[in-house]
Amino acid sequence: MFEFPDIFQFEIGVYVERFVKWLTDNYTVFFDIIKDGVLWFLLRIQNGLLWIPWFVVVILVFILGWKAKSFKSGLIFGLMIFLIGTFGLWEDMMLTLAVVLTSVIIALILGIPLGILIAYKRGAEAIIKPILDAMQTMPSFVYLIPAIMLFGLGTVPAVFATTIYSLPPVIRLTSLAIQRVSKEMVEAAHSYGSSPFQTLTKVELPQALPTIMAGINQTTMMAMAMVVISSMIGAKGLGRNVMIAINRIDIAMGFEAGISIVFLAIIIDRLTQGIADRFKYPE
Amino acid sequence: MVKKMEIKNLSKIFGKNGKKILKNLDAGMTKGEILKKTGHTVGINNVSFDVKAGEIFVIMGLSGSGKSTLIRCLNLLNKPTSGEVFIDGENIVEYNRKELQKFRQEKIAMVFQHFGLFNHRSVIGNVEYGLEVRGISKMERYKIAKEALEIVGLGGWEDNMIHELSGGMQQRVGLARALANSPEILLMDEPFSALDPLIRRDMHLELLDIQSKIKKTIIFITHDVNEAFKLGDRVAVMKDGQIVQIGTPEDILNNPSNEYIEDFVKDIDRTKILRAKHVMKKVGVVASINTSPKVAIKEMEDVGTSSIFVVGESREVLGIVTIDDCLEAIKNKESIKDILRDDFVTTHKETYVQDLIPMAVNSKFPIVVVNEDKKLLGIILRVSVLASLI
Ligand SMILES: Nc1ncnc2c1ncn2[C@@H]1O[C@H](COP(=O)(O)OP(=O)(O)O)[C@@H](O)[C@H]1O
Ligand SMILES: [Mg+2]
């Protein structure tokens, strides 16, 4: 047996810790603004969700399911969300949903302009593409590390990790969608004297919208998966119930929380997909 | 007529070092050689021509001959590698971005081969596009767009989506979108090539009809000779990025400048292009109404025909006499007036040969071409009509 020699040991962690400390010390204001902003936004959404009476939510899910898919789907989705309530997990579900929504919205706000930038500038693509590739190959819980380093424990780092994790598909699909807009359409826009901004907003973005909507479905599903994992760093919600159940080997609680996550994921997936389908333009 | 556009030594080379490659082209390398040696594609090579205000100028050529490249240089969708494009005396190649935008908004509009319509907008939304870009108010642009739709015969389709329309109707939307902008110049890049032949014919008539009312300057691209000659006031023929001949359809048809054009012209249906004036012969000898049958016979013998047209004092056509009738008249002591026949057909010089065919078949005598005052301009032998079909 050859053991790894001690002389080669090098504690890089110490330096990283120092760097992060330097970062947070010197840019306290910056991180505080992000933290406060995200928290403010999250609380708005969270309180909004909790304010809506439960039966309104059930009916709303039913109607959306009906419109987006079919009457039967509407009934099933309504029943699913009702069941989550019967498990006593209504509030936890809403907390999870709040983190998902916040993260997805932030991911869209950041991702769509970045996607547009990549579609327009080949140079930007060369820089951002490899980063996106790396981001997508990393296991999701790796994102928790920079999150706690920068923001500590709690819901904000959970939102941060979730946002970062769900950002790549938004960027990718936006740039892809814009690059694939029919050349003749873009030329038509140019030939009528559209400014670059008019071409973007009147032709390219509307044309890219169906693909971006499909991207929102993917992003939301990724956010959903990440939220559960980010309960490890203190996010409240269904994920934390799963964590607690695992620690206590509480099968009943684990089952209820687990099945609730599945239900919620199915509902979000089908609804966003149904809505995305409505945005498609016939040839 | 006024010169609307003046294109001078325009070249477009696709590839990184277009400007450098231009020298090779000037030095006499061919398109094929340049592609092989440098990987650059010559789109158009030193093209010059004028377009008059209000004419339909057709650019015709085989696929890949550079037609699209050329027309796209006229609104700078392609940036020319060298050369100038003067429109109303201004060289548009030198426009900055703002000037170019204004030029495209106000002066020129394009109709695309595959329509280039926006399928996220309704029919009227498409037609309004150019006006919207210019910042014209909602009410106003709706009104203008509606009028444009009426012009192309699509009144009542405002709120339909594009995919609900047939190909022909979609291209009408494309045309309406261009017309709504009331441009002075209309660029049409193979606008009807994607349509089936019957619809294409309707669109031709419609375009000519619209053009007779609005009198735009139209640059029209096609690979179809029949279409070119039917629509074009003048036609330019392109080959390998160069213009090999420019002229009226008749010029080109009658004097194709080289084999390439001859080949092109071969498959045209000449009867729809050629008119009476192109196949008629000037008549040297006619008989005056006051001559005797004897003199008439002499004249017929001189030119070797069996009949002769009889004209009045100001060369108006009065009738025809045959050699047999003249012989008979001499016997019976009759004058030319008594044996004058009127069973011949007359026509005008603008009549298409197509329409002369039934006349030629049904008449014993040559067809007479007359002007409005019935004055004799020429005659068309029956064989000439049939010969023009070949
Ligand atoms: N964007 C482009 N990049 C490179 N080559 C091009 C481009 N557009 C056209 N070409 C080339 O230029 C030549 C002329 O093409 P084009 O003008 O489209 O011909 P046409 O419209 O007469 O069919 C062709 O050889 C074509 O391959
Ligand atoms: Mg073309």
Side-chain angles (χ1 to χ4, degrees):
Chain A
M1 282 285 274
F2 294 98
E3 291 207 357
F4 197 84
D6 281 348
I7 32 168
F8 289 146
Q9 287 207 354
F10 172 63
E11 307 282 340
I12 192 176
V14 181
Y15 297 96
V16 174
E17 190 182 330
R18 269 190 214 161
F19 173 69
V20 171
K21 204 159 159 36
W22 175 83
L23 214 60
T24 44
D25 284 352
N26 285 278
Y27 297 92
T28 325
V29 183
F30 175 71
F31 287 106
D32 280 353
I33 289 174
I34 292 184
K35 205 165 174 172
D36 293 348
V38 170
L39 202 58
W40 177 85
F41 190 56
L42 177 81
L43 286 177
R44 280 294 156 107
I45 290 182
Q46 190 174 306
N47 293 340
L49 286 173
L50 288 171
W51 174 83
I52 309 173
W54 66 271
F55 52 89
V56 174
V57 174
V58 174
I59 292 171
L60 212 65
V61 166
F62 160 67
I63 292 175
L64 282 176
W66 180 13
K67 292 284 170 209
K69 289 259 153 186
S70 66
F71 183 79
K72 210 172 96 187
S73 308
L75 276 183
I76 293 171
F77 298 158
L79 181 68
M80 282 176 168
I81 207 157
F82 179 79
L83 280 174
I84 297 176
T86 62
F87 302 152
L89 294 173
W90 189 267
E91 195 178 328
D92 286 316
M93 170 185 71
M94 286 310 189
L95 295 181
T96 297
L97 200 55
V99 177
V100 169
L101 278 179
T102 308
S103 308
V104 167
I105 291 170
I106 297 175
L108 291 177
I109 292 173
L110 297 176
I112 291 178
L114 273 174
I116 295 170
L117 185 73
I118 293 184
Y120 272 51
K121 296 244 183 284
R122 294 272 144 186
E125 184 173 7
I127 299 170
I128 300 178
K129 266 269 171 71
I131 300 180
L132 293 182
D133 288 337
M135 281 170 79
Q136 283 194 311
T137 44
M138 267 199 275
S140 48
F141 58 83
V142 171
Y143 291 99
L144 299 178
I145 298 166
I148 44 170
M149 285 201 291
L150 296 172
F151 298 103
L153 291 174
T155 316
V156 172
V159 169
F160 175 83
T162 310
T163 303
I164 299 292
Y165 183 64
S166 47
L167 201 51
V170 183
I171 299 177
R172 263 182 211 285
L173 280 163
T174 304
S175 85
L176 190 73
I178 288 195
Q179 281 170 346
R180 282 219 307 226
V181 175
S182 137
K183 242 186 107 200
E184 210 173 31
M185 258 187 231
V186 176
E187 285 189 338
H190 288 159
S191 76
Y192 284 95
S194 315
S195 66
F197 185 72
Q198 284 171 325
T199 308
L200 179 67
T201 54
K202 289 180 194 290
V203 177
E204 288 174 317
L205 279 182
Q207 280 293 317
L209 196 62
T211 311
I212 294 177
M213 289 305 286
I216 290 179
N217 167 270
Q218 255 191 54
T219 307
T220 315
M221 294 316 291
M222 290 180 73
M224 186 71 205
M226 190 65 198
V227 165
V228 176
I229 292 164
S230 66
S231 61
M232 283 164 73
I233 54 169
K236 288 180 218 154
L238 294 173
R240 195 162 68 164
N241 290 48
V242 175
M243 293 270 295
I244 295 170
I246 290 170
N247 286 337
R248 294 190 198 149
I249 319 182
D250 183 341
I251 294 174
M253 185 181 177
F255 177 79
E256 285 174 357
I259 201 86
S260 296
I261 289 170
V262 173
F263 283 170
L264 190 59
I266 290 175
I267 294 170
I268 293 176
D269 180 42
R270 297 300 135 86
L271 289 190
T272 49
Q273 200 172 22
I275 292 167
D277 286 346
R278 313 206 127 218
F279 274 89
K280 287 203 177 112
Y281 305 118
E283 285 303 303
Chain B
M1 267 202 249
V2 196
K3 260 188 215 167
K4 185 77 187 168
M5 314 173 78
E6 206 175 345
I7 286 81
K8 283 187 180 165
N9 308 106
L10 202 66
S11 295
K12 170 74 187 176
I13 295 170
F14 294 102
K16 275 193 191 128
N17 299 315
K19 280 234 168 24
K20 260 191 209 154
I21 306 300
L22 202 60
K23 286 189 197 110
N24 299 339
L25 199 59
D26 293 338
M29 268 171 86
T30 64
K31 183 175 166 166
E33 285 166 358
I34 288 181
L35 182 63
K36 223 179 201 173
K37 290 220 176 100
T38 69
H40 285 62
T41 308
V42 179
I44 50 173
N45 175 7
N46 200 17
V47 166
S48 301
F49 59 95
D50 297 338
V51 181
K52 296 174 204 147
E55 79 173 331
I56 300 186
F57 187 88
V58 172
I59 299 167
M60 161 177 101
L62 298 174
S63 171
S65 58
K67 307 180 299 289
S68 296
T69 308
L70 173 55
I71 202 172
R72 291 157 54 86
C73 282
L74 303 183
N75 63 356
L76 297 186
L77 280 180
N78 278 348
K79 179 111 180 93
T81 309
S82 79
E84 294 157 320
V85 178
F86 289 98
I87 294 183
D88 293 329
E90 285 184 40
N91 184 6
I92 65 164
V93 178
E94 283 171 358
Y95 279 165
N96 62 29
R97 216 183 68 195
K98 275 271 171 294
E99 287 167 327
L100 176 61
Q101 230 163 279
K102 193 169 144 59
F103 163 72
R104 285 170 169 175
Q105 285 176 8
E106 292 171 3
K107 241 184 188 165
I108 200 158
M110 194 164 194
V111 178
F112 294 82
Q113 179 171 7
H114 302 290
F115 320 142
L117 297 174
F118 307 124
N119 60 4
H120 59 282
R121 286 175 166 237
S122 63
V123 167
I124 191 112
N126 270 274
V127 180
E128 280 180 12
Y129 185 83
L131 302 163
E132 190 179 320
V133 164
R134 283 159 72 171
I136 288 169
S137 78
K138 240 181 180 153
M139 292 264 284
E140 174 113 17
R141 67 182 191 235
Y142 184 84
K143 202 178 123 247
I144 299 172
K146 215 168 141 79
E147 280 168 14
L149 278 174
E150 301 283 348
I151 290 177
V152 300
L154 279 183
W157 290 86
E158 291 83 6
D159 298 324
N160 286 76
M161 291 308 282
I162 296 301
H163 69 95
E164 295 168 317
L165 274 55
S166 69
M169 289 162 86
Q170 292 192 13
Q171 193 55 300
R172 282 165 202 259
V173 177
L175 186 56
R177 178 173 65 178
L179 293 178
N181 247 12
S182 56
E184 294 163 25
I185 300 165
L186 211 53
L187 304 178
M188 308 181 83
D189 189 355
E190 304 207 22
F192 306 144
S193 298
L195 307 178
D196 75 61
L198 280 177
I199 306 219
R200 204 182 310 164
R201 210 156 63 187
D202 288 346
M203 297 296 283
H204 291 155
L205 296 178
E206 191 133 346
L207 179 66
L208 288 172
D209 186 44
I210 292 172
Q211 169 68 350
S212 70
K213 291 174 199 148
I214 57 173
K215 280 288 168 202
K216 306 279 181 202
T217 304
I218 300 180
I219 313 273
F220 189 103
I221 297 227
T222 181
H223 61 254
D224 173 1
V225 205
N226 283 297
E227 186 168 76
F229 284 11
K230 187 165 172 188
L231 298 176
D233 292 314
R234 286 191 305 146
V235 177
V237 185
M238 285 193 80
K239 185 193 179 190
D240 291 342
Q242 289 183 302
I243 291 185
V244 284
Q245 190 175 10
I246 296 187
T248 62
E250 289 86 6
D251 290 345
I252 294 179
L253 201 53
N254 290 332
N255 303 301
S257 73
N258 63 25
E259 243 174 80
Y260 174 76
I261 294 174
E262 251 172 54
D263 268 357
F264 230 121
V265 167
K266 235 187 234 159
D267 52 74
I268 192 166
D269 192 348
R270 295 168 68 100
T271 61
K272 290 180 196 138
I273 308 304
L274 288 180
R275 297 171 191 253
K277 62 184 174 192
H278 301 117
V279 291
M280 76 180 188
K281 287 191 163 43
K282 294 257 169 0
V283 265
V285 271
V286 286
S288 158
I289 185 72
N290 299 320
T291 49
S292 63
K294 211 170 177 172
V295 176
I297 290 173
K298 173 99 179 46
E299 284 178 347
M300 277 184 257
E301 279 172 346
D302 282 351
V303 288
T305 60
S306 60
S307 58
I308 191 167
F309 283 100
V310 179
V311 295
E313 267 163 28
S314 49
R315 265 181 93 82
E316 74 276 22
V317 183
L318 297 173
I320 191 168
V321 291
T322 63
I323 200 158
D324 294 339
D325 286 349
C326 285
L327 292 170
E328 197 71 9
I330 293 170
K331 266 193 222 154
N332 303 338
K333 299 219 165 26
E334 287 170 324
S335 72
I336 289 274
K337 275 185 195 123
D338 301 319
I339 55 166
L340 216 51
R341 312 171 56 133
D342 61 357
D343 53 345
F344 60 91
V345 280
T346 58
T347 189
H348 295 282
K349 67 182 192 342
E350 301 295 340
T351 312
Y352 283 108
V353 167
Q354 187 181 26
D355 302 321
L356 294 176
I357 297 170
M359 299 182 200
V361 171
N362 293 327
S363 168
K364 278 192 292 213
F365 304 114
I367 298 165
V368 186
V369 184
V370 294
N371 69 6
E372 299 82 55
D373 306 327
K374 297 199 93 189
K375 272 190 201 164
L376 180 66
L377 296 172
I379 60 167
I380 301 170
L381 301 178
R382 294 165 60 203
V383 289
S384 309
V385 174
L386 301 176
S388 72
L389 297 183
I390 305 161

mmCIF file of all heavy atoms in Angstrom, chain A residues 1-5:
data_model
loop_
_atom_site.group_PDB
_atom_site.id
_atom_site.type_symbol
_atom_site.label_atom_id
_atom_site.label_comp_id
_atom_site.label_asym_id
_atom_site.label_seq_id
_atom_site.Cartn_x
_atom_site.Cartn_y
_atom_site.Cartn_z
ATOM 1 N N MET A 1 0.836 -1.211 0.000
ATOM 2 C CA MET A 1 0.000 0.000 0.000
ATOM 3 C C MET A 1 0.864 1.252 0.000
ATOM 4 O O MET A 1 1.791 1.380 0.761
ATOM 5 C CB MET A 1 -0.874 0.004 1.272
ATOM 6 C CG MET A 1 -2.074 -0.921 1.173
ATOM 7 S SD MET A 1 -3.354 -0.241 0.128
ATOM 8 C CE MET A 1 -4.234 0.752 1.324
ATOM 9 N N PHE A 2 0.537 2.114 -0.915
ATOM 10 C CA PHE A 2 1.202 3.421 -0.907
ATOM 11 C C PHE A 2 0.251 4.466 -0.381
ATOM 12 O O PHE A 2 -0.792 4.700 -0.981
ATOM 13 C CB PHE A 2 1.649 3.806 -2.318
ATOM 14 C CG PHE A 2 2.720 2.921 -2.869
ATOM 15 C CD1 PHE A 2 2.425 1.871 -3.727
ATOM 16 C CD2 PHE A 2 4.051 3.138 -2.488
ATOM 17 C CE1 PHE A 2 3.415 1.051 -4.211
ATOM 18 C CE2 PHE A 2 5.042 2.320 -2.986
ATOM 19 C CZ PHE A 2 4.744 1.275 -3.858
ATOM 20 N N GLU A 3 0.566 5.034 0.703
ATOM 21 C CA GLU A 3 -0.307 6.096 1.213
ATOM 22 C C GLU A 3 0.118 7.411 0.609
ATOM 23 O O GLU A 3 1.279 7.624 0.282
ATOM 24 C CB GLU A 3 -0.212 6.152 2.737
ATOM 25 C CG GLU A 3 -0.841 4.943 3.372
ATOM 26 C CD GLU A 3 -1.351 5.247 4.778
ATOM 27 O OE1 GLU A 3 -1.147 6.384 5.241
ATOM 28 O OE2 GLU A 3 -1.942 4.344 5.377
ATOM 29 N N PHE A 4 -0.844 8.303 0.457
ATOM 30 C CA PHE A 4 -0.518 9.603 -0.113
ATOM 31 C C PHE A 4 0.369 10.351 0.864
ATOM 32 O O PHE A 4 0.017 10.535 2.022
ATOM 33 C CB PHE A 4 -1.803 10.389 -0.382
ATOM 34 C CG PHE A 4 -1.579 11.532 -1.322
ATOM 35 C CD1 PHE A 4 -1.594 11.316 -2.695
ATOM 36 C CD2 PHE A 4 -1.337 12.809 -0.849
ATOM 37 C CE1 PHE A 4 -1.377 12.347 -3.568
ATOM 38 C CE2 PHE A 4 -1.115 13.846 -1.718
ATOM 39 C CZ PHE A 4 -1.143 13.626 -3.091
ATOM 40 N N PRO A 5 1.547 10.797 0.407
ATOM 41 C CA PRO A 5 2.509 11.375 1.372
ATOM 42 C C PRO A 5 2.026 12.699 1.958
ATOM 43 O O PRO A 5 1.413 13.505 1.262
ATOM 44 C CB PRO A 5 3.766 11.584 0.528
ATOM 45 C CG PRO A 5 3.312 11.548 -0.889
ATOM 46 C CD PRO A 5 2.069 10.755 -0.956
#
